[in-house]
Amino acid sequence: MTNTKFILLAILFTMILNSCKENPKKSEIPAQSEDKTENIESNYVLNDSFPVGDARRYGVTAKTAKSSHPTSGKNFMTTVLDLAENTGMEIVFPAGYYGMDLNLNSRKNLNLRFNNSEFSLINMAQTNDSLSKPENISIKGTLIGYASLGITNASKIAIDSIILKSDISKNLWGLRNTGCHIYFGSKDIKINYLEVQDLGSGSDKYKYTHAALAIDGWNNNPVNVQIKKIHIKSSDRHGIYMTGRDHLIDEVIIDKFGVGSSEGMSGMQDAENGEEKDFKALWINKCYDSFIENITINELESKGKYTAHFDSGNKEKPVTIGKFKVINNNPDITILEEDPNGVIIEIKE
């Protein structure tokens, strides 16, 4: 009997061992990884009445975001961004005006959600060659900015909804909004909805404010910018300035453009000096293999010089516009077409 029991136990042990070999995933590290995330997360909890991932759980509200977190010694906002980056967990931010910039410079692997959360500047950039480039950042919900949205040398950025407003009491520099600038080295940028309510001008403080949406960057122009809808409600200067390649824009609405001043304005990337002062709703320059499905431009209250400027390009690598529509046509505002240019319009109204 003893030998029989020994043999049965040996067979059972062998079966268990083989089962473990056939299903190694059951004993891998993910469970430990989750435990590690929980341990990291628990170090920063200040109010456990809120669920995991709710910024308020870690002390962040619109009013407290600038205060110092007792565990990290950094401000609350920086602390939760570190937490999001180190764990991969989604952080959800409550509504309200935070009275600070949203600085995502050199951040990677962020998953953030905003509920009409308001900041001054919203920025994603590599500010120093020794630092990382921003990469793999997902922003869900609606984010509101009173200074600008800047994306430089960044990749794999996905934004649900961004609204840029002017309110000098909520802009830390006391200025009007300076728009959305997708700058050099940026690629694979996706935005579902971009709204620019106002683009400012009026002094040399707006020196580098060129367009409500500028996609440019000398010798390292953006690649693969995809935007489902752009609504520019008012721009003192240009509406859209677009360079680079492989861009896809579904719908553009420009209500008003060129209604401000060129005072103190600098020249623009890839453009001839002086051209920046001739305001346009749409300016396409050195842009290739791109597509705008629909664009509607209202000239009723616009004071720009050109409805559009189709600048240097290549018809073999064209920018194709599916439907180009002008409403409330002003005969004094014309289209400037360079020869050669790379724009093809399929339907023009």
Side-chain angles (χ1 to χ4, degrees), residues 52-68:
V52 172
D54 189 315
R56 293 169 294 183
R57 181 178 175 89
Y58 318 105
V60 177
T61 67
K63 292 183 178 180
T64 64
K66 293 183 289 185
S67 301
S68 179

Side-chain angles (χ1 to χ4, degrees), residues 91-109:
I91 300 293
V92 182
F93 294 89
Y97 173 60
Y98 283 66
M100 64 189 304
D101 295 335
L102 179 61
N103 183 347
L104 304 180
N105 296 338
S106 297
R107 294 280 185 180
K108 289 187 175 185
N109 305 319

Side-chain angles (χ1 to χ4, degrees), residues 172-202:
L172 297 182
W173 292 275
L175 300 174
R176 292 163 61 196
N177 210 289
T178 56
C180 174
H181 195 181
I182 301 175
Y183 200 30
F184 71 84
S186 294
K187 62 182 179 179
D188 303 328
I189 311 298
K190 295 182 180 181
I191 302 174
N192 285 332
Y193 180 68
L194 169 64
E195 180 180 304
V196 182
Q197 294 189 359
D198 176 63
L199 184 84
S201 69

Side-chain angles (χ1 to χ4, degrees), residues 40 44 55 58-61 64-87 91 93 98 100-108 110 112 114 119:
I40 295 173
Y44 300 98
Y58 318 105
V60 177
T61 67
T64 64
K66 293 183 289 185
S67 301
S68 179
H69 192 285
T71 301
S72 69
K74 302 176 183 178
N75 68 42
F76 284 114
M77 178 59 70
T78 301
T79 300
V80 295
L81 291 176
D82 288 345
L83 179 62
E85 191 169 17
N86 292 332
T87 64
I91 300 293
F93 294 89
Y98 283 66
M100 64 189 304
D101 295 335
L102 179 61
N103 183 347
L104 304 180
N105 296 338
S106 297
R107 294 280 185 180
K108 289 187 175 185
L110 290 179
L112 311 176
F114 296 92
F119 297 87

